[in-house]
Amino acid sequence: MQQIRLLLSIFLLSFSTAIFAESYIEGENYITLDKPVKTVTGDKVEVRELFWYYCPHCFNVEPVLSNWVKKLPSNTAFIRQPAVFSDRWINGAIFYYVLEQLNEVDRLHGKLFDAIHLQKMAFTDQEDFVDWLGEQGIDKDKANGAFKSFSVRVKVNKSKINTVKYHTSGVPALIINGKYWTDASHAGSELRMFKVADYLIAKESK
């Protein structure tokens, strides 16, 4: 199922590239922030994804995103950021930063999307999520420790603050170098969003 979804997404991305001319309009296909947000990637062009584990659009676009990230230019640095638009979004941020604290993002990020959207697991509290982590071979004591860690708490609060700074209207969204952002609504589709991001990355690379 996952492989079929990835292959279909890649095909559609290639197909959309042939259809749409690479001409993007500020204010229509992407937004320029009035006040750029400071980046954390040094000399590299920061490419930041805002997402939420419970967002079906983020789930659908994840295979294409993962493939796209592998092909980003060497002068870029990719960062995932769980968006926090309200208290309802906080658990999603906590889950991501717990995975990060456990050094398990690469292995379990996609699996968590699948658990929520394919297996319909709600993860309503810490115990639910820790039980799932245990099923993935994670020591439960370490998982509970990550939940309580100061580092996770700080990162969740920072995500909450940064989400507001970017002035995006939803997820998934791609923020380029703290200056521009685009999403499916502005780009024209979830797949075309990546072509707009490519354009903005090239713009910042000049």
Side-chain angles (χ1 to χ4, degrees):
M1 175 70 178
Q2 189 79 359
Q3 186 176 12
I4 293 174
R5 186 160 61 93
L6 173 58
L7 290 173
L8 180 60
S9 297
I10 293 172
F11 170 76
L12 290 174
L13 180 58
S14 299
F15 183 69
S16 67
T17 302
I19 292 177
F20 295 112
E22 294 191 20
S23 178
Y24 307 112
I25 303 170
E26 182 181 1
E28 181 177 330
N29 300 127
Y30 66 92
I31 301 299
T32 300
L33 292 172
D34 292 334
K35 184 178 180 181
V37 179
K38 186 178 180 180
T39 60
V40 296
T41 54
D43 293 335
K44 294 199 171 185
V45 176
E46 183 183 282
V47 181
R48 184 179 295 258
E49 181 212 12
L50 296 187
F51 75 96
W52 187 42
Y53 279 120
Y54 292 90
C55 165
H57 303 293
C58 297
F59 168 67
N60 288 334
V61 86
E62 177 60 26
V64 183
L65 174 73
S66 296
N67 189 62
W68 178 73
V69 167
K70 293 174 184 176
K71 299 176 181 178
L72 285 173
S74 59
N75 70 321
T76 64
F78 177 70
I79 296 173
R80 286 189 178 93
Q81 182 190 314
V84 183
F85 284 104
S86 69
D87 288 346
R88 188 169 69 96
W89 294 57
I90 288 178
N91 273 353
I94 293 173
F95 296 162
Y96 177 77
Y97 289 121
V98 165
L99 291 184
E100 189 176 79
Q101 182 85 355
L102 297 169
N103 295 314
E104 291 286 357
V105 170
D106 289 345
R107 185 171 75 95
L108 297 180
H109 180 68
K111 285 188 176 183
L112 180 52
F113 267 121
D114 288 347
I116 292 171
H117 296 277
L118 297 181
Q119 299 160 25
K120 306 301 180 185
M121 300 180 73
F123 296 121
T124 56
D125 55 28
Q126 177 176 334
E127 184 177 0
D128 284 348
F129 189 59
V130 169
D131 284 344
W132 179 78
L133 289 175
E135 293 171 3
Q136 310 309 313
I138 304 297
D139 181 274
K140 288 188 177 182
D141 287 338
K142 287 184 178 179
N144 280 312
F147 261 91
K148 298 174 184 177
S149 71
F150 177 73
S151 174
V152 167
R153 188 162 64 249
V154 167
K155 288 177 180 179
V156 170
N157 287 335
K158 186 175 290 186
S159 273
K160 190 173 183 180
I161 293 169
N162 283 345
T163 299
V164 175
K165 288 182 180 178
Y166 293 118
H167 298 285
T168 56
S169 53
V171 292
L174 295 172
I175 318 295
I176 308 302
N177 230 18
K179 297 180 181 179
Y180 316 101
W181 65 265
T182 187
D183 58 11
S185 177
H186 287 82
S189 72
E190 291 174 358
L191 297 175
R192 198 181 182 212
M193 173 176 68
F194 295 100
K195 301 307 296 180
V196 177
D198 286 338
Y199 165 78
L200 294 171
I201 291 169
K203 182 181 176 72
E204 282 300 290
S205 298
K206 292 178 180 178

